Amino acid sequence: MTTHTFDNIRNFSIVAHIDHGKSTLADRLIQQTGTVAARDMVEQVLDSMDIERERGITIKAQTVRLEYKAKDGKTYILNLMDTPGHVDFAYEVSRSLAACEGSLLVVDASQGVEAQTLANVYHALDAGHEIVPVLNKIDLPAAEPDRIKQQIEDVIGIDASEAVPISAKTGLGIDLVLEAIVTRLPPPKGDETAPLKALLVDSWYDAYLGVVVLVRILDGTMKKGQKIKMMGTDAHYVVDKIGVFRPKMQDVTVLGPGEIGFITAQIKQVADTRVGDTITDERRSCDAALPGFKPAQPVVFCGLFPVDAAEFDDLRAAMGRLRLNDASFSYEMESSAALGFGFRCGFLGLLHLEIIQERLEREFNLDLIATAPSVVYKISLRDGSEIELHNPADMPDVMQIIAINEPWIRATILTPDEYLGSVLKLCQDRRGAQIDLNYVGKRAMVIYDLPLNEVVFDFYDRLKSISKGYASFDYNITDYREGDLVKMSVLVNAEPVDALSMLVHRGRAEMRGRAMVEKLKDLIPQHMFQIPIQAAIGGKIIARETVRALRKDVTAKCYGGDVTRKRKLLEKQKEGKKKMRQFGKVEIPQEAFIAALKMDS
């Protein structure tokens, strides 16, 4: 088998921390190469979802094919992958990188290397990429290109002496970036005559075409009408349409080695196309499948319920449609005494949860309640089995349990020196164990092991607020460790409310419980009888508040006379209230749930 290099093709992705200018740089490259006509040019061409534009983040990795006439007179085909920068979408990044040979590392020349810059660059180095550092925003008065170059060398350990200085906003230095891509990144290798071997990079659902599959060809060629086979699922299809993205779809007749393009083949569901699968020719298949990627594992679970129970069927349909485009989002039905029917959903992280919830509300016009997020616990039982617990309400009897293991993460936090004390205190409060602390220029880089349970609630918000937004945070899940965890239930008028139960660490249970009952006391309206609100672990009450009863003045009609007449009326009222409390149902308004679940401020 002979391997050729395809000298006129370059496949590259752009990696950076959030807000360092990836999408803007992609815009300028598209503009400079004349891929999109000037009149069709909009900001963030590749961010197609409204949410991506509004929040200024990239959620789905997008790809585009550019043609560039270089200084040496040759025309090059550049395949650009714009990847997300946020930790929740790291799996999108890993598969985009597998389809490329090189990366542009974009660093903000005023802010320098951030936590996710590191994480994404390590992904790229693991994928064997050649890396070209690019310093963006050099037109800002605060830019310090020389200091940042030194920082890239010290922290990441790659040579930054030839880093390309640019301003993606004004278009300064974009031609230098294009030349660097052509001269410094390697061309792809492959064999045109070998059996077809292609990597399935991504897939999504299109209302007109069915499932569209993004592929990177490694060996062989792919043509329209060809019969193909997916090696992972052993499914067979015929290619209907084949093409490339110049952001808009454009049909081509054939894709050869090193090229990135899309195919459609009358595939009905996105679930049939496993990301990372190998596509080969039905008759002449390749010897071995590619290693693929590990599937995205949901780490945060929460229940989503419709505010109006009649909308349950709409919610089910909406979930099914979202699942078509986001294979990393999983759900199953559940019912709750307090909230009715809904779904237990799994997400890659809190941002993912927020985005899915926002898309359901916006694209499908639904009103939703989300229960408190929880993580996946592994519980070892006395009969030797191990179960995964997604919902605290389903916890087995305490007598059956030997140990509860919770997921831990390794977090990297970069923060300016003056906030270091508060950041360390926050990590200590969240049961963290410090692994390392060193300095990157003027900033401290702290590495902590933390339980994920403590991070999912509001760790990111607290970190941003104590550091005035300057700290950056990145994490990856390391392992499961045994924890002293207990189930805390909330009782209202002696009835447990399943939607509010949670697993907490024994040491923090009392604080959590007290905060919850105090909050509920203000949220539950007064009834004709008093209502106790209690937080309990097993049979032990750890916190209590009481909602006072509404009272009618029964003694108003008594004037003068003996005090026993008044007392008799008050005793009679007290008996009535006691009776009411036994049979009375406490109505907890929907707003109270929503507010109680947003606790832990």
Side-chain angles (χ1 to χ4, degrees):
M1 176 177 154
T2 52
T3 308
H4 311 285
T5 55
F6 294 86
D7 287 334
N8 67 331
I9 299 179
R10 297 288 183 276
N11 297 319
F12 69 100
S13 59
I14 306 181
V15 294
H17 186 75
I18 311 159
D19 274 352
H20 280 200
K22 285 187 302 295
S23 297
T24 314
L25 174 58
D27 286 353
R28 289 300 154 274
L29 293 172
I30 291 170
Q31 212 170 359
Q32 188 92 0
T33 53
T35 307
V36 174
R39 63 165 189 265
D40 296 332
M41 195 65 200
V42 288
E43 299 249 334
Q44 278 115 13
V45 175
L46 298 180
D47 290 346
S48 48
M49 286 196 272
D50 293 345
I51 291 192
E52 293 184 307
R53 295 237 157 117
E54 278 170 31
R55 292 180 171 233
I57 55 177
T58 303
I59 298 169
K60 291 291 287 175
Q62 296 285 359
T63 143
V64 59
R65 176 170 174 151
L66 315 171
E67 280 180 19
Y68 171 60
K69 198 168 169 51
K71 288 186 178 152
D72 59 9
K74 288 203 305 198
T75 300
Y76 289 88
I77 291 174
L78 312 179
N79 287 310
L80 149 69
M81 289 268 193
D82 182 22
T83 58
H86 200 280
V87 58
D88 283 5
F89 305 110
Y91 81 109
E92 288 268 351
V93 178
S94 65
R95 55 190 207 202
S96 308
L97 296 178
C100 304
E101 283 80 30
S103 292
L104 298 180
L105 165 66
V106 178
V107 180
D108 184 327
S110 59
Q111 293 182 337
V113 176
E114 297 276 0
Q116 257 132 17
T117 316
L118 282 174
N120 289 337
V121 121
Y122 291 145
H123 278 310
L125 289 167
D126 288 346
H129 277 204
E130 188 63 45
I131 291 179
V132 174
V134 174
L135 297 182
N136 190 13
K137 308 192 188 182
I138 55 158
D139 54 336
L140 291 182
E144 304 176 72
D146 295 338
R147 184 174 74 81
I148 305 298
K149 278 184 191 176
Q150 192 55 48
Q151 196 181 342
I152 292 175
E153 292 188 3
D154 295 347
V155 182
I156 304 173
I158 55 176
D159 174 28
S161 55
E162 292 189 11
V164 186
I166 65 159
S167 160
K169 192 168 145 200
T170 60
L172 178 73
I174 299 298
D175 47 342
L176 299 173
V177 176
L178 287 162
E179 280 300 317
I181 292 167
V182 169
T183 52
R184 290 163 61 180
L185 295 182
K189 297 181 173 63
D191 181 0
E192 220 158 346
T193 54
L196 170 68
K197 185 192 237 179
L199 173 69
L200 198 161
V201 184
D202 197 0
S203 58
W204 59 92
Y205 187 79
D206 180 294
Y208 300 108
L209 302 169
V211 177
V212 180
V213 179
L214 184 67
V215 291
R216 154 76 203 260
I217 314 283
L218 292 144
D219 291 325
T221 54
M222 197 183 260
K223 302 183 192 61
K224 192 172 168 172
Q226 184 175 8
K227 291 186 172 165
I228 53 167
K229 171 175 112 178
M230 310 257 182
M231 291 179 87
T233 51
D234 198 34
H236 298 249
Y237 301 102
V238 177
V239 178
D240 281 342
K241 180 181 168 82
I242 186 164
V244 293
F245 288 103
R246 323 197 46 180
K248 303 264 185 293
M249 291 184 168
Q250 184 178 356
D251 289 10
V252 296
T253 46
V254 61
L255 284 176
E259 294 197 277
I260 297 176
F262 70 87
I263 58 164
T264 63
Q266 295 192 355
I267 305 168
K268 301 285 181 289
Q269 301 181 30
V270 173
D272 301 338
T273 54
R274 286 231 302 268
V275 168
D277 203 344
T278 307
I279 302 177
T280 184
D281 192 88
E282 188 178 78
R283 294 197 195 81
R284 241 182 106 207
S285 55
C286 58
D287 317 329
L290 296 158
F293 321 109
K294 51 183 194 294
Q297 287 293 332
V299 290
V300 177
F301 282 82
C302 92
L304 289 178
F305 295 87
V307 169
D308 174 6
E311 286 187 345
F312 175 71
D313 286 333
D314 301 346
L315 176 62
R316 176 187 301 184
M319 293 254 185
R321 283 180 60 186
L322 262 194
R323 178 93 173 87
L324 282 176
N325 273 343
D326 189 348
S328 57
F329 158 63
S330 55
Y331 63 92
E332 57 192 34
M333 224 184 102
E334 75 166 353
S335 66
S336 138
L339 299 172
F341 287 104
F343 291 95
R344 189 93 199 147
C345 309
F347 305 94
L348 300 171
L350 283 187
L351 180 72
H352 189 206
L353 181 157
E354 224 176 283
I355 298 246
I356 293 268
Q357 194 181 341
E358 196 170 319
R359 284 184 68 185
L360 284 169
E361 290 177 348
R362 181 185 289 197
E363 292 171 24
F364 302 100
N365 218 346
L366 295 165
D367 277 338
L368 300 176
I369 298 179
T371 62
S374 72
V375 298
V376 184
Y377 299 97
K378 291 189 172 157
I379 298 185
S380 309
L381 300 173
R382 293 210 180 276
D383 60 6
S385 62
E386 186 181 73
I387 58 167
E388 283 195 351
L389 179 73
H390 296 169
N391 185 352
D394 302 336
M395 185 156 146
D397 182 23
V398 187
M399 301 312 289
Q400 310 293 322
I401 298 175
I402 301 173
I404 304 180
N405 296 310
E406 58 177 338
W408 279 65
I409 60 171
R410 170 74 46 98
T412 308
I413 301 172
L414 283 157
T415 170
D417 198 27
E418 62 262 38
Y419 309 116
L420 180 61
S422 325
V423 170
L424 294 178
K425 182 175 182 311
L426 174 70
C427 293
Q428 293 296 351
D429 289 348
R430 297 299 168 97
R431 305 191 281 134
Q434 188 175 328
I435 305 297
D436 192 15
L437 168 61
N438 52 37
Y439 276 85
V440 178
K442 293 179 187 162
R443 289 186 315 175
M445 180 161 107
V446 198
I447 297 180
Y448 255 88
D449 276 358
L450 288 155
L452 183 62
N453 174 355
E454 301 284 349
V455 176
V456 295
F457 242 165
D458 59 343
F459 182 83
Y460 194 62
D461 298 343
R462 306 273 313 135
L463 180 70
K464 285 291 185 202
S465 64
I466 59 179
S467 67
K468 299 198 170 54
Y470 283 111
S472 63
F473 165 69
D474 183 81
Y475 67 89
N476 53 331
I477 292 188
T478 48
D479 56 353
Y480 273 79
R481 302 183 195 172
E482 192 175 328
D484 184 11
L485 299 167
V486 289
K487 175 180 166 184
M488 184 181 86
S489 0
V490 174
L491 309 169
V492 174
N493 200 14
E495 295 274 325
V497 181
D498 57 352
L500 297 177
S501 58
M502 55 175 95
L503 276 184
V504 288
H505 191 262
R506 199 183 292 277
R508 300 197 51 176
E510 200 173 318
M511 190 185 88
R512 244 348 170 9
R514 190 165 297 137
M516 185 66 108
V517 295
E518 279 172 9
K519 193 143 191 184
L520 279 172
K521 181 189 172 192
D522 300 336
L523 295 168
I524 293 178
Q526 288 185 319
H527 286 53
M528 292 303 292
F529 48 93
Q530 66 171 2
I531 306 168
I533 303 171
Q534 299 158 314
I537 293 173
K540 182 180 172 215
I541 304 291
I542 53 171
R544 166 175 171 144
E545 289 284 339
T546 308
V547 177
R548 290 180 45 197
L550 285 169
R551 291 193 55 177
K552 181 183 171 199
D553 187 2
V554 287
T555 58
K557 62 175 194 269
C558 284
Y559 48 91
D562 193 1
V563 73
T564 50
R565 286 178 61 196
K566 284 189 175 172
R567 197 165 293 145
K568 185 174 149 194
L569 290 167
L570 288 169
E571 288 297 326
K572 198 166 153 195
Q573 184 186 35
K574 198 164 157 192
E575 286 301 313
K577 291 224 180 287
K578 198 163 160 189
K579 201 164 176 183
M580 269 156 83
R581 190 177 142 198
Q582 280 169 353
F583 302 106
K585 275 272 172 277
V586 179
E587 289 294 319
I588 305 180
Q590 217 84 32
E591 299 80 63
F593 274 113
I594 300 171
L597 295 170
K598 285 187 183 150
M599 61 164 280
D600 212 32
S601 39

